[in-house]
Amino acid sequence: MGSGAGFESVGRGSIAAAADAVDALSIAVDHDDLLHVLRVRDRLEARLTEAVGRFDAGELWGDVGATSMTRWLVVEARMEEGAARRLVRQAGRLAGWPVLAAAHAAGAVSSGQVEIVTTRVKPRHVALFAEHEAALVPALALLDIEGTITAIAEWCARADALLDAEPPEPKRSTLHLDTVGDRHRLDGDLDGDDGAIVAEALRLAARHDDDTDERPRSRSERLADAFTDLCARFLRDHETPKANPGRQRPGVNVVIDAPQLAALELQQLGITDEHELDDLLDG
């Protein structure tokens, strides 16, 4: 935790001078004078809020045994707990909203407007407001309290719609085949599912090089051969190819049941009766 000494730089002399000025202040019952003093109070509250935020960030409230900034304000400053909580929240929000904080310190927006913003912007909208405040704050400076309430309500509704919007539909897979002379170029952009299917099919269809190959193939060549083999297999097995509808490619289907297949395999092994099968199994 830090020490309160860091806040000495504020200048106790200037604070004392401000206190003396307040003691000597005489506010006339006049529209302009009263309004001017209220605006000065807003600017003082802006600086006070900033100091509360820095005091809280340094956890200096712990130096006197307080458990939080709110409890420090309640006990040491004798603030009502609800007001203390609002001040702490406002200080925290303004620490992340520098444009609004600067407008408050300059008197461009009132403390009442700042309270509306800091209390009505939902926690899940805090980061989004930080992105938008550069455009929002100058507009708020032109509004009264009712206009501020309306503007923030509309912004919160749009923020809800923006955050709750369904994610965009993923891009569909695409495949392009270009022909230049006697060469064909294939280019594809596949989504996750389609890409996984194609990758697994090519893996299963790819044949490793053997002695029959004139030279070792590169990986891209093996994938091209596998892709061609898959397409050839489809054309061979497809009953009604689109190229010649109505015609069927010739094919032969051999149907054999399991016992007959087993008998053929045993014959190839030279097993012709049960005794020879028992001898094979015993061995």
Side-chain angles (χ1 to χ4, degrees), residues 122-144:
K122 301 174 184 178
R124 71 191 192 107
H125 295 158
V126 169
L128 186 61
F129 187 88
E131 297 177 10
H132 293 182
E133 66 163 348
L136 285 170
V137 172
L140 293 177
L142 303 176
L143 301 176
D144 58 13

Side-chain angles (χ1 to χ4, degrees), residues 12-13 36 91 118 123 125 134 163 168 204 215 253 256 260 268:
R12 293 191 182 277
H36 182 70
T118 55
H125 295 158
L163 295 180
L204 295 175
R215 62 173 179 82
N253 295 324
I256 185 171
Q260 289 178 333
Q268 291 178 356

Side-chain angles (χ1 to χ4, degrees), residues 165-209:
E166 295 183 1
E169 185 176 344
K171 183 180 179 181
R172 295 179 59 87
S173 297
T174 56
L175 195 65
H176 304 281
L177 179 60
D178 298 321
T179 303
V180 179
D182 61 346
R183 302 289 295 181
H184 302 273
R185 180 177 180 83
L186 187 66
D187 182 34
D189 181 11
L190 307 180
D191 64 20
D193 292 338
D194 291 348
I197 292 172
V198 172
E200 181 65 9
L202 291 176
R203 185 187 70 82
L204 295 175
R207 179 182 60 82
H208 293 289
D209 294 327

